[in-house]
Amino acid sequence: MGPTPSRVSCTMLDLKKLRDDPEAARRGLAAKGAEALLDEVLALDAQRRALLTATEALQNERNRVSKEVGRLKAAKQDATALMERVRAINSELQEQATALQPSEAACEAALLRLPNLPDPSVPVGADAAGNQVVRAWGDRPAFDFTPLPHWELGARLGLFDFERGARLAGAGFPLLRGPGARLSRALIQFMLDLHTREHGYEEVAPPFLCNTAAMTGTGQLPKMAEDMYRVTDSDLWLIPTAEVPVTNIYREEIIRAPLPVRLTAYSPCFRREAGAAGKDTRGLNRVHQFDKVEMVKFTTPESSADELDRLVRDAEDVLQRLELPYRILELCTGDLSFAAAKCYDLELWAPGQDRWLEVSSCSNFLDFQARRARIRYKNEAGQTAFVHTLNGSGVALPRLIVAVLECGQQADGSVRLPTALRPYLGGLERLEPAS
RNA sequence: GGAGAGGUGGCUGAGUGGUUGAAAGCAGCGGUUUGCUAAACCGUCGUACGGGUCAAACCUGUACCGGGGGUUCGAAUCCCCCCCUCUCCGCCA
């Protein structure tokens, strides 16, 4: 079984817009540090169009002469001269094609590496230091003892077995046991119930591996290949987030369902975390496999800004109901991910480590992913147009568990569980140390 | 994994190597009729990428009938490879 060739649209940013107003694109790309690529794209595009025009002129002639051949033959007349002419055109076309094909491929490859432009409302900044706290919720718990990090708590409570997990797949593949495994499952179920029953999402259970076309559609490929796990003898990658399969549900489709379509999915996520070696090696802060509940939306361009606000509130609701203090950052231009035009991060307070931990990233991609994946709808004028896509974690499990443990810890070594979660744990109120 | 059947526009569904980008029907859109709804009738109705126009409307070219390649002056139509769906068999959670 060979790899499926990906059929990806040549557009990610609108090429015509890039041509018509390169300066606007240049400003946006500069904010994301991808300015140089723009000139490369524009040059490749100019070359490509010149070749395309020449090729199409030849094709036009070939088509006209061929039709004439048919006409002559139908009239029982000699057409040898015209057939010779077409043969000549074809050999010329062969030469054209050897120039055009690499040109188109190069143009598309460069385009696929161009990141999305930041929304004009996004604060300008070079890196994470430029992110802005937009609001915070909840009081950070006060302790009359020194709060422990979750890996200490987990050891005392018998929740994790990192050593044996490493035996199975290496460091960063956590093994949860007993109450730890159950806590994880309870949180997943709690979040899915919340989003489906109260926030208006449809639950989906997607594949956990996706092909190259899907990975390209949402923007993981080509840029993030080294951050993903790949299956060796088929065209499949382990998903780094449910965003990939869920967003690609409508790839190459004109969505007929009324917008917005709001979907939520549980999935494991697999990330190589290339370049993060040695960072956050203890506990659950940064792992190669983790569980997450994801929210994905397909909307009209008119409503995507509002839907982003709702998305953030839906993620916040998870944290509020679990009584966990958090803050919300708006990412600045320099910290936006490849595909995002605007993004809010939700960070939970981890008192045992005295730091904030990101548990959710809520992004509006505008039509960036829709272009790449060709996800469209019919607008009110009846025209086919690209949807806007959004997604956000609702939320990621490991760091959620970290906060539940570190915020809920008591002087006696037990951990108080949030009230809203207890029904999912058979009424359990506390995790007690194994004695 | 083996055998068979099939993949055509939003859907259903015709299709001959040569003015077919593709019959017909449904849906959609615009309109007429109508007290409203329904119905009827008329018209319109694929996508992408180029060129023309400051731009839009519009005009025009090319490509696209699962994907790729081949035969041919000319391919949805013939040939090869691949993918997918369905049915049956085998294997297995």
Side-chain angles (χ1 to χ4, degrees):
Chain A
M1 184 169 72
T4 308
S6 63
R7 288 280 296 172
V8 178
S9 158
C10 194
T11 47
M12 57 171 293
L13 291 173
D14 188 341
L15 237 183
K16 282 180 200 149
K17 275 190 188 150
L18 293 184
R19 279 204 294 270
D20 291 347
D21 192 0
E23 290 320 306
R26 192 180 308 282
R27 282 191 298 277
L29 289 169
K32 275 193 164 186
E35 203 180 348
L37 250 183
L38 178 62
D39 292 315
E40 192 184 332
V41 167
L42 292 174
L44 287 167
D45 175 54
Q47 182 199 29
R48 174 194 139 256
R49 278 182 300 147
L51 290 166
L52 184 63
T53 304
T55 298
E56 289 187 347
L58 279 174
Q59 288 173 324
N60 182 21
E61 191 180 352
R62 181 197 59 193
N63 291 348
R64 277 187 299 127
V65 178
S66 285
K67 278 185 183 170
E68 189 57 30
V69 170
R71 220 168 289 146
L72 287 178
K73 288 206 166 183
K76 305 278 187 204
Q77 294 178 10
D78 177 52
T80 355
L82 292 183
M83 284 160 68
E84 266 315 307
R85 172 73 192 129
V86 175
R87 251 190 283 267
I89 292 171
N90 276 336
S91 70
E92 226 178 314
L93 270 172
Q94 277 295 332
E95 289 173 36
Q96 288 283 347
T98 60
L100 179 61
Q101 280 162 11
S103 176
E104 289 191 320
C107 187
E108 169 161 343
L111 254 180
L112 284 172
R113 286 178 189 278
L114 271 188
N116 201 359
L117 303 177
D119 187 82
S121 65
V122 172
V124 175
D127 52 37
N131 296 342
Q132 298 182 357
V133 178
V134 295
R135 62 178 175 274
W137 182 92
D139 297 321
R140 300 196 217 167
F143 298 94
D144 50 13
F145 58 96
T146 305
L148 297 174
H150 65 277
W151 53 87
E152 300 277 356
L153 294 165
R156 295 176 185 208
L157 298 168
L159 309 180
F160 319 129
D161 188 342
F162 293 116
E163 291 74 17
R164 291 196 178 89
R167 182 183 295 163
L168 305 176
F173 289 90
L175 172 63
L176 304 190
R177 299 190 75 141
R182 186 169 192 195
L183 174 62
S184 177
R185 178 162 54 90
L187 285 165
I188 292 165
Q189 188 132 343
F190 162 74
M191 290 189 279
L192 286 174
D193 282 351
L194 180 60
H195 296 318
T196 55
R197 291 176 183 166
E198 302 192 35
H199 297 157
Y201 292 78
E202 178 192 352
E203 182 175 348
V204 294
F208 300 151
L209 292 87
C210 281
N211 57 29
T212 295
M215 290 293 180
T216 307
T218 32
Q220 278 71 27
L221 290 176
K223 207 187 154 200
M224 320 281 240
E226 66 284 357
D227 281 309
M228 294 194 292
Y229 291 98
R230 185 170 198 176
V231 176
T232 50
D233 51 10
S234 60
D235 178 35
L236 290 172
W237 308 70
L238 276 67
I239 58 171
T241 161
E243 161 192 354
V244 178
V246 178
T247 304
N248 279 285
I249 287 174
Y250 290 110
R251 181 158 55 88
E252 314 267 325
E253 263 195 60
I254 297 170
I255 299 179
R256 297 283 154 174
L259 299 178
V261 171
R262 301 189 181 100
L263 304 175
T264 186
Y266 153 77
S267 87
C269 303
F270 305 90
R271 299 185 181 179
R272 300 180 71 97
E273 299 290 341
K279 275 171 75 178
D280 295 326
T281 50
R282 302 208 67 177
L284 292 173
N285 286 343
R286 184 182 297 273
V287 287
H288 291 308
Q289 179 186 324
F290 62 93
D291 291 313
K292 180 158 61 67
V293 169
E294 183 76 0
M295 300 174 283
V296 172
K297 298 186 183 187
F298 305 84
T299 77
T300 61
E302 294 74 31
S303 62
S304 73
D306 287 343
E307 288 295 334
L308 178 61
D309 291 339
R310 288 187 57 159
L311 185 65
V312 172
R313 289 204 299 275
D314 293 338
E316 281 185 82
D317 198 22
V318 170
L319 308 183
Q320 291 186 8
R321 290 180 192 234
L322 294 176
E323 309 162 45
L324 299 170
Y326 64 88
R327 66 178 187 177
I328 300 180
L329 303 181
E330 174 166 13
L331 299 197
C332 70
T333 52
D335 205 28
L336 279 177
S337 68
F338 180 76
K342 189 177 177 71
C343 178
Y344 295 99
D345 275 3
L346 276 63
E347 296 187 331
L348 280 177
W349 178 244
Q353 304 174 67
D354 196 35
R355 63 186 288 200
W356 296 96
L357 292 175
E358 179 191 329
V359 285
S360 176
S361 221
C362 298
S363 305
N364 187 354
F365 303 93
L366 305 179
D367 64 1
F368 183 86
Q369 293 180 327
R371 276 178 191 284
R372 292 170 76 104
R374 302 183 50 71
I375 304 169
R376 293 164 300 164
Y377 77 112
K378 291 278 189 188
N379 65 20
E380 285 186 359
Q383 299 160 321
T384 306
F386 291 111
V387 299
H388 280 192
T389 59
L390 304 94
N391 68 57
S393 340
V395 302
L397 260 289
R399 293 172 182 169
L400 181 61
I401 291 172
V402 168
V404 167
L405 296 178
E406 294 189 14
C407 288
Q409 60 184 302
Q410 308 292 313
D412 63 2
S414 67
V415 166
R416 177 192 172 272
L417 292 164
T419 311
L421 195 59
R422 293 176 189 170
Y424 293 90
L425 291 163
L428 191 67
E429 296 179 9
R430 287 167 180 262
L431 297 172
E432 306 282 356
S435 44

